[in-house]
Amino acid sequence: MEDRSVAFVRGLRAAGVRTSTAEALDALRALRAAGIDDRDRVRLALRAALVKSHTDFEAFETLFPLYFGGEPPLENALDDLDPDGEQAVREALEGLSDR
């Protein structure tokens, strides 16, 4: 889960979301507290730790399902990313790059 969270933070940064290392560490702590069994709880915990401006909600909500899949448990979503999934991440980042 840590590797996926780090990759997600990188994706947010690539989309223009200003996220510090301290906020990334806060996100990991939030995940430990929230657990990983409830996808919506994971989403809310990460959003609380990583999104500091309402202008970044769109990027977060666009990228979250690409990194955290659709079903719990969330342990291996990045490992299962196929070429189409990689392309979806690229397209989402390109779509957000005009920000």
Side-chain angles (χ1 to χ4, degrees):
M1 183 57 93
E2 288 181 12
D3 290 342
R4 183 174 348 161
S5 299
V6 169
F8 181 56
V9 168
R10 286 183 183 143
L12 289 173
R13 288 176 178 166
V17 177
R18 293 182 56 176
T19 303
S20 70
T21 301
E23 290 165 341
L25 292 171
D26 287 343
L28 292 175
R29 287 184 201 99
L31 282 177
R32 285 188 197 110
I36 62 168
D37 294 333
D38 182 324
R39 184 173 181 261
D40 195 49
R41 192 178 327 163
V42 167
R43 183 181 65 79
L44 293 173
L46 289 175
R47 191 172 76 177
L50 297 171
V51 177
K52 302 302 180 212
S53 171
H54 71 280
T55 59
D56 295 329
F57 284 133
E58 180 184 357
F60 181 93
E61 296 298 338
T62 299
L63 293 175
F64 180 82
L66 299 175
Y67 285 87
F68 293 93
E71 303 246 348
L74 301 172
E75 281 300 321
N76 297 316
L78 283 182
D79 295 341
D80 296 334
L81 199 61
D82 61 12
D84 291 334
E86 289 179 30
Q87 183 62 30
V89 171
R90 270 195 208 93
E91 289 172 6
L93 290 172
E94 287 172 9
L96 293 168
S97 66
D98 349 335
R99 295 166 23 111

